[in-house]
Amino acid sequence: PLFQSNRWNNVKGSAGKNQSDFVQDMLEFTSKYEKEWDAHRFSGMLGYSWMESTSTGFGASNSEFPTDAYLYNALQRGKYAELRYTDPEDKSTAYLKTYGGVSSYKNQSRLIGFFGRISYGYDNRYNVLVSFRREGSTKFGADHKWGNFPAISGGWTLSNEKWLRSVKWLDNLKLRVGYGVTGVIPQNSYMSLLLYDYDTQYGNYVDADGNWRPSLTTTQNPNDDLRWEKTAELNAGIDFGFLDGRLFGSVDVYSKKTTDMLWEYNVPVPPNLYNLQTANVGEMDNRGIEVMLGGIPVRTKDFEW
């Protein structure tokens, strides 16, 4: 809901309308080079990416309409709000009775990346892949907007070795190992900034001239150290296939560690301006084994299962 539900209590009809838009502009350049000679195979790639995301929204509502025929097409015909007094003789005890409201928002963020990849293979037996990505996001603190994310992996196809080619029932046997780091970007665009809002519950007051005045309150502590949440993973595996593709599968062993995880926790006020703080204080470890098996138990000219 756009507005507090108690605004609709004991009113003569209410209506509202809202809309939202999301626009994402993207630009990417890549340059690739490939070369093969003898038993060698090489490829390289460099790239640049730019992305800007903007979300906007608007909503309005009102109550106390003279007729239901307007629906939400004449919100200005409602009462919207009026100033009331707890004691008509004492003007200092005023409060604002609201029947409707208006809201709008805009969120914007930008992500820039530089990336590269090099791949090398020899005789369809040995393969190495190295990649690197450097990304910067406006969603992080002033000193931690950029993150570096390297990765390297290698594979050895044993089934292509001369001393295994004579094994007729073996179709594929490959060993591989890899290590890489990835980053996570928070959804909120302004988590590192000091944010304010009007205190509609306790901060409203009437000045000496009888004008209604809202006051500001802090809704988020600043955090210039807000940074990327990173996950580093080491993986080793084996792929296999037997009997002309009738039996196949893989086994993987992995160890994954995530650091600088975002967490919201209570903080004292003062010295903080708000009683909650979001910071990179979490860690998580995952280790495991993954096994995948597949098979074709029935294969005929007209049917395969």
Side-chain angles (χ1 to χ4, degrees):
L2 290 174
F3 308 101
Q4 297 178 4
S5 59
N6 60 10
R7 294 181 177 179
W8 307 126
N9 295 339
N10 301 318
V11 296
K12 300 175 183 178
S14 60
K17 191 174 184 179
N18 63 78
Q19 70 177 51
S20 60
D21 295 285
F22 178 76
V23 178
Q24 190 172 74
D25 298 315
M26 301 180 65
L27 177 67
E28 185 170 281
F29 294 102
T30 58
S31 178
K32 189 174 182 180
Y33 174 79
E34 294 181 342
K35 184 176 177 60
E36 293 187 17
W37 70 99
D38 299 330
H40 305 274
R41 185 181 69 256
F42 174 84
S43 67
M45 188 266 289
L46 292 175
Y48 167 83
S49 64
W50 176 92
M51 182 174 65
E52 185 173 86
S53 303
T54 304
S55 59
T56 58
F58 175 82
S61 67
N62 210 346
S63 299
E64 297 286 333
F65 294 95
T67 173
D68 290 337
Y70 290 133
L71 297 178
Y72 50 75
N73 298 310
L75 297 179
Q76 73 278 9
R77 300 300 183 187
K79 182 177 287 188
Y80 189 75
E82 63 179 353
L83 190 64
R84 292 185 177 182
Y85 299 93
T86 304
D87 183 357
E89 302 298 328
D90 184 5
K91 300 300 183 181
S92 64
T93 59
Y95 66 95
L96 186 65
K97 172 66 175 178
T98 57
Y99 297 90
V102 178
S103 67
S104 63
Y105 66 87
K106 180 179 180 181
N107 295 312
Q108 194 170 44
S109 64
R110 187 176 297 111
L111 177 68
I112 297 175
F114 301 89
F115 52 91
R117 183 177 67 236
I118 296 176
S119 174
Y120 172 76
Y122 176 74
D123 198 27
N124 291 324
R125 289 182 292 165
Y126 312 108
N127 296 277
V128 177
L129 178 66
V130 179
S131 65
F132 182 81
R133 188 175 185 96
R134 178 170 172 80
E135 286 190 319
S137 173
T138 58
K139 293 185 177 182
F140 296 105
D143 301 327
H144 302 277
K145 295 188 181 298
W146 291 91
N148 299 318
F149 307 102
I152 183 172
S153 61
W156 179 20
T157 307
L158 285 82
S159 54
N160 288 339
E161 296 287 351
K162 292 181 180 180
W163 43 275
L164 272 180
R165 290 177 184 174
S166 60
V167 182
K168 301 301 182 182
W169 52 267
L170 178 64
D171 303 316
N172 177 47
L173 183 62
K174 182 178 181 180
L175 300 177
R176 47 186 169 76
V177 62
Y179 173 82
V181 180
T182 57
V184 176
I185 302 175
Q187 293 184 348
N188 194 321
S189 299
Y190 310 112
M191 294 179 65
S192 66
L193 304 179
L194 175 63
L195 299 183
Y196 294 95
D197 198 358
Y198 286 110
D199 188 350
T200 58
Q201 185 174 5
Y202 301 107
N204 298 323
Y205 65 95
V206 178
D207 61 18
D209 298 326
N211 298 315
W212 186 260
R213 301 294 185 186
S215 62
L216 289 174
T217 184
T218 304
T219 60
Q220 180 177 281
N221 291 314
N223 184 5
D224 291 336
D225 291 326
L226 191 74
R227 55 190 179 273
W228 291 80
E229 177 182 306
K230 292 185 176 182
T231 298
E233 180 174 358
L234 177 64
N235 185 93
I238 180 172
D239 301 324
F240 53 85
F242 308 110
L243 305 175
D244 194 23
R246 299 288 292 269
L247 181 65
F248 52 90
S250 64
V251 179
D252 284 272
V253 179
Y254 67 89
S255 177
K256 181 191 300 183
K257 184 172 185 178
T258 303
T259 57
D260 292 332
M261 296 176 64
L262 290 176
W263 186 258
E264 186 179 66
Y265 54 93
N266 293 314
V267 293
V269 180
N272 297 278
L273 300 176
Y274 190 62
N275 63 348
L276 293 175
Q277 178 70 60
T278 301
N280 302 86
V281 296
E283 289 189 2
M284 181 171 62
D285 288 291
N286 296 84
R287 297 182 181 90
I289 300 176
E290 294 181 350
V291 179
M292 188 277 289
L293 293 175
I296 304 175
V298 178
R299 178 186 284 171
T300 66
K301 179 180 179 181
D302 301 317
F303 179 77
E304 183 175 291
W305 171 40

